[in-house]
Amino acid sequence: MSALLDALKTNVKGIASDYHEYSQKKKHEKEKQDFDSLPEEDQQVQLTVDKMVAITSDIYPHKDYEVIGDAFGVFVASKNAFSDIGASVKNLVGGELGGYSKMNIAAKKEAVKRMKLDAAQQGADAIIGMRLNQSASGIGNSDNMLTFSAYGTAIKFIK
């Protein structure tokens, strides 16, 4: 029975890994295509997002700045069937639920990216007082959706 569970776990993990790699490749291709189709000004905003610093401190050290306003980003993720199958198997043997861990990491990164985009569109140079919030929700008694929020105060450096 243990050998069967190990084989099933390996197959599910392999299928999930292949699907994840495929979906990441497609996502990257779409992001590049979307970026290339943006007007030059919007491309500059996207590049600013990639370099923007977001810190948890309520002040930005060693720089003078003015407050622009709040910046917010949210990402809602849904658990997929492969993760659910893997989680069911893992519940029998114990250990980390890798699919769920990856989903949390991806949701956090996307929420922070969206917060930075919001700040960049307001003309910000950085974000202070960044906070993260995570919650599970779903339909009925099912907690099959993860909401990850990132928020902070957008600031502009004074030259």
Side-chain angles (χ1 to χ4, degrees):
M1 186 65 157
S2 178
L4 178 62
L5 285 176
D6 287 343
L8 179 61
K9 184 172 129 181
T10 301
N11 282 340
V12 168
K13 197 180 243 185
I15 292 168
S17 177
D18 290 347
Y19 175 76
H20 179 72
E21 286 178 29
Y22 171 79
S23 64
Q24 289 297 336
K25 181 179 177 187
K26 285 294 187 188
K27 180 182 173 187
H28 177 70
E29 289 171 359
K30 182 171 179 355
E31 285 176 353
K32 182 171 178 2
Q33 183 181 20
D34 290 348
F35 180 81
D36 291 342
S37 68
L38 289 173
E40 181 67 30
E41 182 178 313
D42 290 342
Q43 286 183 2
Q44 291 304 316
V45 169
Q46 285 291 338
L47 294 173
T48 300
V49 167
D50 293 339
K51 295 185 282 184
M52 186 175 291
V53 175
I55 60 174
T56 57
S57 173
D58 289 335
I59 59 168
Y60 200 95
H62 313 298
K63 289 213 178 196
D64 292 328
Y65 59 87
E66 62 182 353
V67 172
I68 294 176
D70 66 326
F72 181 75
V74 66
F75 184 80
V76 180
S78 174
K79 299 174 186 174
N80 67 47
F82 293 122
S83 292
D84 285 342
I85 292 168
S88 297
V89 172
K90 193 60 96 166
N91 280 335
L92 296 172
V93 296
E96 179 184 11
L97 302 176
Y100 291 103
S101 294
K102 288 177 185 174
M103 181 178 69
N104 273 278
I105 292 166
K108 178 212 174 232
K109 285 181 181 178
E110 189 62 31
V112 170
K113 179 179 172 185
R114 290 178 181 184
M115 174 192 61
K116 288 179 176 182
L117 178 60
D118 184 30
Q121 289 172 334
Q122 297 178 59
D125 293 317
I127 299 168
I128 59 171
M130 181 184 73
R131 303 292 185 262
L132 300 171
N133 185 19
Q134 173 191 13
S135 64
S137 60
I139 300 169
N141 292 332
S142 174
D143 284 342
N144 62 350
M145 290 184 284
L146 168 73
T147 302
F148 216 108
S149 304
Y151 53 95
T153 303
I155 61 171
K156 179 96 178 142
F157 298 133
I158 298 171
K159 309 285 185 218

